[in-house]
Coordinates of all heavy atoms in Angstrom, one line a residue:
Chain A
N9 N 37.2 138.0 -78.2 CA 36.5 136.8 -78.7 C 35.0 137.0 -78.7 O 34.3 136.1 -78.3 CB 36.9 135.6 -77.9 CG 38.3 135.1 -78.3 OD1 38.8 135.4 -79.3 ND2 38.9 134.3 -77.3
Y11 N 31.7 138.0 -81.2 CA 31.3 138.2 -82.5 C 29.9 138.8 -82.5 O 29.1 138.4 -81.7 CB 31.2 136.9 -83.3 CG 32.6 136.4 -83.6 CD1 33.0 135.1 -83.1 CD2 33.3 136.9 -84.7 CE1 34.2 134.6 -83.4 CE2 34.6 136.4 -85.0 CZ 35.1 135.2 -84.3 OH 36.2 134.6 -84.6
Q12 N 29.7 139.7 -83.5 CA 28.2 140.0 -83.7 C 28.1 140.2 -85.2 O 29.1 140.5 -85.9 CB 27.8 141.3 -83.0 CG 27.3 141.1 -81.5 CD 26.0 140.2 -81.5 OE1 25.4 140.0 -82.6 NE2 25.6 139.8 -80.4
D13 N 27.0 140.1 -85.6 CA 26.6 140.3 -87.0 C 26.9 141.7 -87.4 O 26.9 142.6 -86.6 CB 25.1 140.1 -87.1 CG 24.7 139.7 -88.5 OD1 25.0 138.7 -89.0 OD2 24.3 140.6 -89.2
S14 N 27.3 141.9 -88.7 CA 27.7 143.4 -89.1 C 26.6 144.4 -88.9 O 26.9 145.5 -88.5 CB 28.2 143.4 -90.5 OG 27.3 142.7 -91.3
I15 N 25.4 143.8 -89.1 CA 24.3 144.8 -88.9 C 24.2 145.2 -87.4 O 24.0 146.4 -87.1 CB 22.8 144.0 -89.1 CG1 22.9 143.8 -90.7 CG2 21.7 144.9 -88.7 CD1 22.2 144.9 -91.6
A35 N 32.3 150.9 -83.6 CA 32.5 149.6 -83.2 C 32.8 148.7 -84.4 O 32.1 148.7 -85.4 CB 31.2 149.1 -82.5
M36 N 33.8 148.0 -84.3 CA 34.4 147.1 -85.3 C 35.0 145.8 -84.9 O 35.5 145.8 -83.9 CB 35.3 147.9 -86.3 CG 34.6 149.0 -87.1 SD 35.6 149.5 -88.5 CE 34.8 148.6 -89.8
M37 N 35.0 144.9 -85.8 CA 36.0 143.7 -85.5 C 37.4 144.3 -85.7 O 37.7 144.9 -86.7 CB 35.8 142.6 -86.4 CG 34.4 141.8 -86.4 SD 34.0 141.2 -84.7 CE 35.3 140.0 -84.5
T39 N 40.2 143.6 -87.0 CA 41.2 143.1 -88.0 C 42.1 144.2 -88.3 O 41.8 145.4 -88.3 CB 40.5 142.6 -89.2 OG1 39.7 143.7 -89.9 CG2 39.4 141.4 -88.8
P40 N 43.3 143.9 -88.9 CA 44.2 145.0 -89.3 C 43.5 146.0 -90.3 O 43.7 147.3 -90.2 CB 45.4 144.2 -90.0 CG 45.4 142.8 -89.2 CD 43.9 142.6 -89.0
A41 N 42.8 145.4 -91.3 CA 42.2 146.2 -92.3 C 41.2 147.2 -91.6 O 41.1 148.5 -92.0 CB 41.4 145.3 -93.3
N42 N 40.4 146.7 -90.6 CA 39.5 147.5 -90.0 C 40.1 148.6 -89.1 O 39.7 149.7 -88.9 CB 38.5 146.7 -89.2 CG 37.5 145.9 -90.0 OD1 37.3 146.4 -91.3 ND2 36.9 144.9 -89.4
I45 N 40.9 151.4 -91.1 CA 39.7 152.2 -91.2 C 39.4 153.1 -90.0 O 39.2 154.3 -90.1 CB 38.4 151.3 -91.5 CG1 38.7 150.6 -92.9 CG2 37.2 152.2 -91.5 CD1 37.5 149.6 -93.2
A61 N 42.2 140.1 -84.1 CA 41.2 140.0 -85.1 C 39.8 139.5 -84.7 O 38.9 139.5 -85.3 CB 41.8 139.2 -86.2
N62 N 39.9 138.8 -83.6 CA 38.7 138.1 -83.1 C 38.0 138.9 -81.9 O 37.1 138.5 -81.3 CB 38.9 136.7 -82.6 CG 39.4 135.9 -83.8 OD1 38.5 135.7 -84.7 ND2 40.5 135.4 -83.8
G90 N 21.1 141.9 -78.9 CA 21.1 141.6 -80.3 C 21.0 140.1 -80.5 O 20.7 139.6 -81.6
A91 N 21.4 139.3 -79.4 CA 21.4 137.9 -79.6 C 20.0 137.2 -79.5 O 19.9 136.0 -79.8 CB 22.3 137.3 -78.4
N426 N 20.9 107.9 -76.6 CA 21.5 106.7 -77.3 C 21.7 105.6 -76.2 O 22.9 105.3 -76.0 CB 22.8 107.0 -78.0 CG 23.4 106.0 -78.9 OD1 22.8 104.9 -78.9 ND2 24.4 106.3 -79.5
V462 N 13.7 110.5 -82.1 CA 15.0 111.2 -82.3 C 16.2 110.2 -82.2 O 17.2 110.4 -82.9 CB 15.1 112.3 -81.3 CG1 15.2 111.8 -79.9 CG2 16.4 113.1 -81.5
Q463 N 16.0 109.1 -81.5 CA 17.1 108.2 -81.3 C 17.4 107.3 -82.5 O 18.5 106.8 -82.7 CB 16.9 107.2 -80.1 CG 16.8 107.9 -78.7 CD 15.5 108.4 -78.3 OE1 14.5 108.5 -79.2 NE2 15.3 108.9 -77.1
E537 N 12.5 121.7 -67.5 CA 12.5 122.4 -68.8 C 12.7 121.5 -69.9 O 12.3 121.8 -71.1 CB 13.6 123.4 -68.7 CG 13.4 124.6 -69.7 CD 14.4 125.7 -69.7 OE1 15.3 125.6 -68.8 OE2 14.6 126.4 -70.7
Chain B
I2 N 21.6 115.7 -73.0 CA 22.2 115.2 -74.2 C 21.6 115.7 -75.4 O 20.4 115.6 -75.5 CB 22.3 113.7 -74.2 CG1 23.0 113.1 -72.9 CG2 23.0 113.1 -75.4 CD1 22.7 111.8 -72.5
T4 N 21.5 115.6 -79.9 CA 22.0 114.9 -81.0 C 22.3 115.7 -82.2 O 21.4 116.5 -82.6 CB 20.8 113.9 -81.4 OG1 20.4 113.2 -80.2 CG2 21.3 112.9 -82.4
H25 N 35.4 129.0 -78.3 CA 36.0 130.2 -78.7 C 35.1 131.4 -78.6 O 35.4 132.4 -78.0 CB 36.6 130.0 -80.2 CG 37.2 131.2 -80.8 ND1 36.5 132.2 -81.5 CD2 38.4 131.8 -80.6 CE1 37.1 133.2 -81.8 NE2 38.4 133.0 -81.4
S26 N 33.9 131.2 -79.2 CA 33.0 132.4 -79.1 C 31.6 131.8 -79.3 O 31.3 130.7 -79.7 CB 33.3 133.3 -80.3 OG 33.5 132.5 -81.5
N29 N 24.6 134.2 -81.9 CA 23.2 133.9 -82.1 C 22.8 132.5 -82.5 O 22.0 131.8 -81.9 CB 22.5 134.9 -83.2 CG 22.6 136.3 -82.6 OD1 23.1 136.6 -81.6 ND2 21.9 137.1 -83.4
F61 N 16.1 124.0 -80.9 CA 16.0 124.0 -79.5 C 17.3 123.6 -78.8 O 17.8 124.3 -77.9 CB 14.9 122.8 -79.2 CG 14.9 122.4 -77.7 CD1 13.9 123.1 -77.0 CD2 15.6 121.4 -77.1 CE1 13.9 122.9 -75.5 CE2 15.5 121.2 -75.9 CZ 14.6 121.8 -75.1
K65 N 19.8 125.7 -76.1 CA 20.3 125.2 -74.8 C 21.8 125.2 -74.8 O 22.4 125.6 -73.7 CB 19.7 123.8 -74.6 CG 18.3 123.7 -74.6 CD 17.7 124.3 -73.3 CE 16.2 124.4 -73.4 NZ 15.8 125.2 -72.3
N93 N 26.2 109.9 -83.1 CA 26.1 108.6 -83.6 C 25.1 108.6 -84.8 O 25.1 107.6 -85.5 CB 25.6 107.7 -82.5 CG 24.2 108.0 -82.0 OD1 23.9 109.2 -81.7 ND2 23.4 107.1 -81.9
Q94 N 24.2 109.6 -84.8 CA 23.4 109.5 -85.9 C 23.6 110.6 -87.0 O 22.8 111.0 -87.8 CB 21.9 109.8 -85.4 CG 21.4 108.6 -84.7 CD 20.1 108.9 -83.9 OE1 19.2 109.4 -84.5 NE2 20.1 108.7 -82.7
I156 N 41.5 141.6 -97.1 CA 41.4 140.6 -95.9 C 41.0 141.3 -94.5 O 41.7 142.1 -94.1 CB 42.7 139.8 -95.8 CG1 42.9 139.0 -97.0 CG2 42.7 138.8 -94.6 CD1 44.3 138.3 -97.1
G157 N 40.0 140.8 -93.9 CA 39.5 141.3 -92.6 C 38.8 142.7 -92.7 O 38.6 143.3 -91.7
R158 N 38.5 143.1 -94.0 CA 37.9 144.5 -94.1 C 36.4 144.4 -94.1 O 35.8 143.6 -94.7 CB 38.3 145.2 -95.4 CG 38.0 146.6 -95.5 CD 38.6 147.3 -96.7 NE 38.8 148.7 -96.5 CZ 40.0 149.2 -96.0 NH1 40.9 148.3 -95.7 NH2 40.0 150.5 -95.8
G159 N 35.9 145.0 -93.0 CA 34.4 145.0 -92.8 C 34.1 144.2 -91.6 O 34.9 143.7 -90.9
N160 N 32.8 144.4 -91.1 CA 32.5 143.9 -89.8 C 31.9 142.5 -89.8 O 31.7 142.0 -90.9 CB 31.4 144.9 -89.2 CG 32.1 145.8 -88.1 OD1 33.0 145.2 -87.5 ND2 31.6 147.0 -87.9
G161 N 31.5 142.1 -88.6 CA 30.8 140.8 -88.4 C 31.7 139.6 -88.3 O 32.9 139.8 -88.2
L162 N 31.0 138.4 -88.5 CA 31.7 137.1 -88.2 C 32.7 136.9 -89.3 O 33.8 136.4 -89.1 CB 30.7 136.1 -88.2 CG 29.8 135.8 -87.1 CD1 28.7 134.8 -87.4 CD2 30.5 135.3 -85.9
I199 N 45.1 138.0 -89.4 CA 44.7 139.4 -89.8 C 43.1 139.4 -90.1 O 42.6 140.4 -90.6 CB 45.4 139.8 -91.0 CG1 45.4 138.8 -92.2 CG2 46.9 140.1 -90.6 CD1 46.1 139.3 -93.5
T200 N 42.4 138.3 -89.8 CA 41.0 138.4 -89.9 C 40.4 137.4 -88.9 O 41.2 136.9 -88.1 CB 40.5 138.0 -91.3 OG1 39.2 138.3 -91.3 CG2 40.8 136.5 -91.6
T201 N 39.2 137.3 -88.8 CA 38.5 136.5 -87.7 C 38.8 135.0 -88.0 O 39.0 134.6 -89.2 CB 37.0 136.7 -87.8 OG1 36.5 136.2 -89.0 CG2 36.6 138.2 -87.6
L202 N 38.6 134.3 -86.9 CA 39.0 132.9 -87.0 C 37.9 132.1 -88.0 O 38.3 131.2 -88.7 CB 38.8 132.2 -85.7 CG 39.5 131.0 -85.4 CD1 41.0 131.0 -85.7 CD2 39.3 130.5 -83.9
S240 N 24.1 139.0 -92.5 CA 23.5 140.1 -92.8 C 24.0 140.6 -94.2 O 23.2 141.2 -95.0 CB 23.8 141.3 -91.9 OG 25.2 141.4 -91.6

Side-chain angles (χ1 to χ4, degrees):
Chain A
N9 283 338
Y11 287 111
Q12 271 298 349
D13 202 75
S14 50
I15 293 268
M36 293 196 96
M37 295 304 298
T39 62
N42 288 341
I45 295 174
N62 294 297
N426 192 357
V462 63
Q463 294 88 351
E537 205 184 344
Chain B
I2 299 165
T4 310
H25 174 265
S26 45
N29 296 7
F61 174 88
K65 295 289 169 196
N93 66 315
Q94 290 169 54
I156 297 171
R158 194 172 205 88
N160 254 332
L162 291 170
I199 58 173
T200 190
T201 64
L202 200 60
S240 55

